[in-house]
Amino acid sequence: MADVREMSVEELAAIMEELGEPKFRAKQLHEWLHKHNVTDYDRMTNLSKALRQKLADRLPLQGAEAVTQERSQDGTRKYLLKLEDDTCVETVGMPIAFDDAAENVKRLTACVSSQAGCPMACSFCATGHEGFGRNLTASEIVDQVLTVQEDFNERVANVVIMGQGEPFLNYDNVLAALRRINTDSGLGIGARKITISTCGIIDGIKRFSEEPEQFRLAVSLHAARQKIRDQLVPKCANQPLDDLQEALISYNQQSGRRVTLEYMLIDGVNDSDADMDALAAFCEGINCHVNLIPLNQIASSDLRPSSKAVTKRWVQGLSAVMIPVSVRNSRGFDINGACGQLKEVSLTHL
Ligand code: SAH
């Protein structure tokens, strides 16, 4: 059945016409759905009772439901959301401290899934080990931000599409969701506060380069030597590093924006000096910032994080060749809510 929240104002206007209502009702309905995020027709008080009933019969309305919630010692909360067809996805809310003009403020970040499960099967990631479920709709993506916002009773300041799934394999729905999250007639979160993370789907990067909004891009690189990358991110073996590098340079030029390269340090796998040199060579010509990520160990893989000493050496080595670098402070490890720990959970496991 058609999802009313996926319909444009024009499509809603056609339905209003069929129901014998004036067209402007479509705009009112659209505002309730996307500006006020109402998931119950009875709260749409400027529509008549009769119309609300007709709409409820014709276009049933349902939001995502958080069926469980876990809280980390660091303030992070992880939600398991049940969707209309009982598919489940995980979403994470993180109050993160930012240094803002010498002031230490906490801002709420929502880490959002773009697919149920993931087809990429990366060796280090719990989501990939569970296989692929389905693409999420734009509404299902927006609902995740709303869930975090409502549960913390606080405005979400940053959105990262870094939960389950590969966003560029669900490009249209993800972009539609980002627009609703961004627009003033939606959640009104600034484009620069919204980041998509991809494992490196080149066609997606090319399309994304042409989008007019200032959304940010992060690429999960994890290795700058082809052979090692093919082991870690096997489904990207057909997306060669040379082509990826070229696409990122074009991205810089077309969008005028810097890209973040995420690089997870894995003990004895991708953390040698030769790996660092390869990364430095990859970065050449790209306006980028490298975000080193300590590997979070997951039960289904025996990969181990690099030592603190190695991480420090990488920070120093990359800084020495003028590559901006930082180390990600992963959150919510104690509730399996950290990077790479999100799993596809079906209700029968609860
Ligand atoms: N598919 C997209 C979106 C997922 S983002 C992507 O690959 O970017 C999730 C981030 O967590 C990615 O940077 C991913 O590489 C990283 N990640 C996955 N497993 C991890 C693990 N075990 N430890 C730390 N980071 C991990």
Side-chain angles (χ1 to χ4, degrees):
M1 186 180 302
D3 181 346
V4 62
R5 292 183 308 159
E6 298 299 320
M7 292 181 175
S8 63
V9 182
E10 292 72 29
E11 287 170 309
L12 295 176
I15 289 179
M16 290 299 180
E17 210 172 344
E18 275 173 45
L19 296 176
E21 293 283 337
K23 268 195 184 164
F24 70 86
R25 297 269 178 240
K27 191 150 183 279
Q28 290 176 317
L29 173 57
H30 200 263
E31 272 189 8
W32 282 115
L33 294 173
H34 300 293
K35 187 163 186 173
H36 308 297
N37 302 299
V38 163
T39 51
D40 178 359
Y41 285 113
D42 278 334
R43 288 182 53 203
M44 302 185 184
T45 43
N46 58 0
L47 306 182
S48 72
K49 228 173 167 186
L51 175 57
R52 291 186 328 229
Q53 189 55 52
K54 278 193 251 177
L55 289 169
D57 291 341
R58 168 112 190 228
L59 301 167
L61 188 52
Q62 201 183 319
E65 185 195 343
V67 285
T68 65
Q69 180 187 138
E70 289 168 80
R71 293 192 181 200
S72 162
Q73 287 179 349
D74 67 18
T76 298
R77 299 179 195 171
K78 183 174 78 167
Y79 311 89
L80 181 68
L81 299 191
K82 183 167 78 87
L83 308 176
E84 215 166 324
D85 61 355
D86 284 352
T87 294
C88 287
V89 286
E90 291 184 321
T91 301
V92 181
M94 302 173 280
I96 298 183
F98 282 91
D99 286 325
D100 197 5
E103 216 183 321
N104 198 266
V105 287
K106 280 206 164 169
R107 294 233 184 81
L108 185 59
T109 293
C111 177
V112 166
S113 296
S114 56
Q115 298 180 310
C118 185
M120 299 311 293
C122 298
S123 58
F124 46 79
C125 180
T127 309
H129 294 179
E130 301 281 311
F132 178 57
R134 68 167 172 86
N135 280 334
L136 300 186
T137 64
S139 302
E140 289 167 342
I141 296 168
V142 176
D143 275 348
Q144 297 177 57
V145 181
L146 291 171
T147 299
V148 172
Q149 198 151 267
E150 277 161 24
D151 187 57
F152 277 85
N153 194 22
E154 188 182 325
R155 249 183 86 78
V156 164
N158 296 280
V159 174
V160 293
I161 311 294
M162 295 190 188
Q164 289 158 305
E166 170 44 49
F168 282 168
L169 294 182
N170 184 19
Y171 192 97
D172 292 332
N173 292 354
V174 168
L175 258 286
L178 295 198
R179 298 214 156 97
R180 283 198 223 161
I181 292 167
N182 172 232
T183 175
D184 284 338
S185 59
L187 303 193
I189 299 175
R192 278 178 238 175
K193 308 280 182 196
I194 302 173
T195 304
I196 288 199
S197 180
T198 176
C199 61
I201 306 291
I202 292 170
D203 278 349
I205 295 171
K206 286 185 179 158
R207 277 183 78 182
F208 196 61
S209 305
E210 315 213 324
E211 302 295 353
E213 293 90 351
Q214 301 274 311
F215 299 131
R216 293 180 176 272
L217 178 67
V219 175
S220 298
L221 191 67
H222 304 324
R225 293 203 282 169
Q226 192 68 52
K227 242 183 154 170
I228 299 172
R229 190 159 204 272
D230 291 351
Q231 283 165 14
L232 294 174
V233 191
K235 295 279 171 67
C236 274
N238 58 355
Q239 314 278 315
L241 283 166
D242 286 348
D243 294 354
L244 180 60
Q245 186 186 34
E246 207 176 292
L248 293 177
I249 293 170
S250 303
Y251 169 78
N252 289 149
Q253 287 165 348
Q254 271 175 279
S255 68
R257 295 190 293 277
R258 167 183 283 198
V259 60
T260 297
L261 300 179
E262 299 161 284
Y263 195 107
M264 188 165 42
L265 287 167
I266 311 174
D267 186 36
V269 174
N270 64 355
D271 64 348
S272 69
D273 286 351
D275 291 305
M276 203 201 300
D277 291 345
L279 176 60
F282 182 86
C283 292
E284 211 150 293
I286 306 179
N287 178 8
C288 65
H289 165 263
V290 172
N291 197 202
L292 298 174
I293 309 176
L295 172 89
N296 293 312
Q297 265 173 255
I298 53 165
S300 49
S301 150
D302 47 20
L303 298 173
R304 300 272 172 274
S306 304
S307 66
K308 284 211 167 109
V310 167
T311 308
K312 200 169 157 199
R313 212 149 55 96
W314 273 62
V315 172
Q316 287 167 345
L318 294 171
S319 304
V321 291
M322 309 304 281
I323 297 173
V325 55
S326 56
V327 180
R328 178 181 291 170
N329 176 10
S330 226
R331 314 257 310 184
F333 185 77
D334 54 342
I335 53 167
N336 284 334
C339 307
Q341 294 187 308
L342 303 184
K343 279 197 182 181
E344 199 184 2
V345 185
S346 72
L347 287 173
T348 51
H349 292 160
L350 292 177

mmCIF file of all heavy atoms in Angstrom, residues 90-94 109-113 144 148 158-164 337 342:
data_model
loop_
_atom_site.group_PDB
_atom_site.id
_atom_site.type_symbol
_atom_site.label_atom_id
_atom_site.label_comp_id
_atom_site.label_asym_id
_atom_site.label_seq_id
_atom_site.Cartn_x
_atom_site.Cartn_y
_atom_site.Cartn_z
ATOM 1 N N GLU A 90 18.592 -0.729 13.931
ATOM 2 C CA GLU A 90 19.123 -0.057 15.109
ATOM 3 C C GLU A 90 19.504 1.385 14.791
ATOM 4 O O GLU A 90 19.937 1.695 13.689
ATOM 5 C CB GLU A 90 20.335 -0.823 15.652
ATOM 6 C CG GLU A 90 19.923 -2.163 16.236
ATOM 7 C CD GLU A 90 21.078 -2.927 16.872
ATOM 8 O OE1 GLU A 90 22.194 -2.906 16.341
ATOM 9 O OE2 GLU A 90 20.839 -3.557 17.902
ATOM 10 N N THR A 91 19.324 2.218 15.789
ATOM 11 C CA THR A 91 19.644 3.648 15.700
ATOM 12 C C THR A 91 20.341 4.027 16.990
ATOM 13 O O THR A 91 20.025 3.467 18.045
ATOM 14 C CB THR A 91 18.336 4.466 15.608
ATOM 15 O OG1 THR A 91 17.631 4.047 14.461
ATOM 16 C CG2 THR A 91 18.599 5.957 15.543
ATOM 17 N N VAL A 92 21.279 4.953 16.902
ATOM 18 C CA VAL A 92 22.023 5.327 18.103
ATOM 19 C C VAL A 92 21.935 6.844 18.304
ATOM 20 O O VAL A 92 22.050 7.609 17.346
ATOM 21 C CB VAL A 92 23.502 4.870 17.971
ATOM 22 C CG1 VAL A 92 24.295 5.225 19.220
ATOM 23 C CG2 VAL A 92 23.595 3.360 17.713
ATOM 24 N N GLY A 93 21.728 7.256 19.554
ATOM 25 C CA GLY A 93 21.746 8.681 19.911
ATOM 26 C C GLY A 93 22.948 8.934 20.809
ATOM 27 O O GLY A 93 23.157 8.213 21.786
ATOM 28 N N MET A 94 23.746 9.931 20.449
ATOM 29 C CA MET A 94 24.983 10.164 21.194
ATOM 30 C C MET A 94 25.102 11.628 21.605
ATOM 31 O O MET A 94 25.233 12.498 20.742
ATOM 32 C CB MET A 94 26.190 9.841 20.300
ATOM 33 C CG MET A 94 26.199 8.428 19.774
ATOM 34 S SD MET A 94 27.525 8.161 18.558
ATOM 35 C CE MET A 94 26.780 8.863 17.088
ATOM 36 N N THR A 109 23.928 13.816 18.653
ATOM 37 C CA THR A 109 24.137 13.282 17.306
ATOM 38 C C THR A 109 23.308 12.013 17.143
ATOM 39 O O THR A 109 23.294 11.161 18.033
ATOM 40 C CB THR A 109 25.633 12.965 17.082
ATOM 41 O OG1 THR A 109 26.360 14.186 17.088
ATOM 42 C CG2 THR A 109 25.869 12.260 15.754
ATOM 43 N N ALA A 110 22.620 11.919 16.006
ATOM 44 C CA ALA A 110 21.877 10.683 15.709
ATOM 45 C C ALA A 110 22.654 9.897 14.661
ATOM 46 O O ALA A 110 23.020 10.436 13.619
ATOM 47 C CB ALA A 110 20.483 11.022 15.179
ATOM 48 N N CYS A 111 22.924 8.636 14.962
ATOM 49 C CA CYS A 111 23.597 7.748 14.005
ATOM 50 C C CYS A 111 22.513 6.820 13.434
ATOM 51 O O CYS A 111 21.900 6.038 14.153
ATOM 52 C CB CYS A 111 24.690 6.959 14.702
ATOM 53 S SG CYS A 111 25.496 5.770 13.602
ATOM 54 N N VAL A 112 22.294 6.959 12.144
ATOM 55 C CA VAL A 112 21.085 6.453 11.518
ATOM 56 C C VAL A 112 21.403 5.351 10.504
ATOM 57 O O VAL A 112 22.408 5.411 9.803
ATOM 58 C CB VAL A 112 20.403 7.668 10.822
ATOM 59 C CG1 VAL A 112 19.341 7.250 9.870
ATOM 60 C CG2 VAL A 112 19.863 8.626 11.870
ATOM 61 N N SER A 113 20.545 4.346 10.422
ATOM 62 C CA SER A 113 20.716 3.256 9.452
ATOM 63 C C SER A 113 20.030 3.606 8.133
ATOM 64 O O SER A 113 18.993 4.276 8.118
ATOM 65 C CB SER A 113 20.107 1.960 9.999
ATOM 66 O OG SER A 113 20.798 1.547 11.169
ATOM 67 N N GLN A 144 14.059 7.691 12.419
ATOM 68 C CA GLN A 144 15.144 7.384 13.357
ATOM 69 C C GLN A 144 15.639 8.654 14.043
ATOM 70 O O GLN A 144 15.900 8.661 15.251
ATOM 71 C CB GLN A 144 16.298 6.708 12.624
ATOM 72 C CG GLN A 144 15.902 5.369 12.020
ATOM 73 C CD GLN A 144 17.053 4.765 11.237
ATOM 74 O OE1 GLN A 144 18.134 4.559 11.755
ATOM 75 N NE2 GLN A 144 16.825 4.495 9.959
ATOM 76 N N VAL A 148 15.297 9.645 18.219
ATOM 77 C CA VAL A 148 16.379 10.131 19.091
ATOM 78 C C VAL A 148 15.970 11.468 19.704
ATOM 79 O O VAL A 148 16.090 11.693 20.916
ATOM 80 C CB VAL A 148 17.696 10.279 18.284
ATOM 81 C CG1 VAL A 148 18.771 10.958 19.128
ATOM 82 C CG2 VAL A 148 18.182 8.916 17.796
ATOM 83 N N ASN A 158 23.367 16.942 14.986
ATOM 84 C CA ASN A 158 24.120 16.320 13.890
ATOM 85 C C ASN A 158 23.501 14.973 13.533
ATOM 86 O O ASN A 158 23.073 14.235 14.419
ATOM 87 C CB ASN A 158 25.575 16.033 14.317
ATOM 88 C CG ASN A 158 26.330 17.305 14.624
ATOM 89 O OD1 ASN A 158 26.792 17.988 13.726
ATOM 90 N ND2 ASN A 158 26.424 17.626 15.893
ATOM 91 N N VAL A 159 23.509 14.689 12.238
ATOM 92 C CA VAL A 159 23.022 13.379 11.794
ATOM 93 C C VAL A 159 24.143 12.721 11.002
ATOM 94 O O VAL A 159 24.729 13.336 10.115
ATOM 95 C CB VAL A 159 21.777 13.528 10.891
ATOM 96 C CG1 VAL A 159 21.364 12.183 10.305
ATOM 97 C CG2 VAL A 159 20.616 14.138 11.672
ATOM 98 N N VAL A 160 24.462 11.475 11.345
ATOM 99 C CA VAL A 160 25.439 10.731 10.559
ATOM 100 C C VAL A 160 24.780 9.462 10.026
ATOM 101 O O VAL A 160 24.131 8.728 10.771
ATOM 102 C CB VAL A 160 26.726 10.402 11.375
ATOM 103 C CG1 VAL A 160 27.494 11.682 11.714
ATOM 104 C CG2 VAL A 160 26.429 9.634 12.652
ATOM 105 N N ILE A 161 24.896 9.258 8.708
ATOM 106 C CA ILE A 161 24.327 8.037 8.125
ATOM 107 C C ILE A 161 25.438 6.998 8.225
ATOM 108 O O ILE A 161 26.152 6.694 7.274
ATOM 109 C CB ILE A 161 23.877 8.265 6.662
ATOM 110 C CG1 ILE A 161 23.013 9.527 6.541
ATOM 111 C CG2 ILE A 161 23.111 7.037 6.134
ATOM 112 C CD1 ILE A 161 21.676 9.490 7.232
ATOM 113 N N MET A 162 25.619 6.518 9.441
ATOM 114 C CA MET A 162 26.715 5.592 9.746
ATOM 115 C C MET A 162 26.217 4.398 10.545
ATOM 116 O O MET A 162 26.982 3.743 11.240
ATOM 117 C CB MET A 162 27.806 6.308 10.555
ATOM 118 C CG MET A 162 28.510 7.417 9.805
ATOM 119 S SD MET A 162 29.953 7.981 10.714
ATOM 120 C CE MET A 162 30.437 9.417 9.735
ATOM 121 N N GLY A 163 24.929 4.152 10.456
ATOM 122 C CA GLY A 163 24.399 2.973 11.130
ATOM 123 C C GLY A 163 24.496 1.771 10.196
ATOM 124 O O GLY A 163 25.456 1.630 9.446
ATOM 125 N N GLN A 164 23.451 0.952 10.213
ATOM 126 C CA GLN A 164 23.481 -0.239 9.354
ATOM 127 C C GLN A 164 23.279 0.147 7.899
ATOM 128 O O GLN A 164 22.502 1.054 7.583
ATOM 129 C CB GLN A 164 22.354 -1.181 9.787
ATOM 130 C CG GLN A 164 22.628 -1.832 11.117
ATOM 131 C CD GLN A 164 21.348 -2.302 11.773
ATOM 132 O OE1 GLN A 164 20.402 -1.535 11.974
ATOM 133 N NE2 GLN A 164 21.306 -3.557 12.113
ATOM 134 N N GLY A 337 26.723 -0.610 20.697
ATOM 135 C CA GLY A 337 26.165 0.462 19.880
ATOM 136 C C GLY A 337 27.252 1.215 19.130
ATOM 137 O O GLY A 337 26.987 2.204 18.475
ATOM 138 N N LEU A 342 26.517 -2.779 15.113
ATOM 139 C CA LEU A 342 25.065 -2.868 14.954
ATOM 140 C C LEU A 342 24.699 -4.110 14.149
ATOM 141 O O LEU A 342 25.295 -4.398 13.131
ATOM 142 C CB LEU A 342 24.522 -1.619 14.260
ATOM 143 C CG LEU A 342 24.839 -0.299 14.953
ATOM 144 C CD1 LEU A 342 24.160 0.854 14.233
ATOM 145 C CD2 LEU A 342 24.427 -0.315 16.408
#
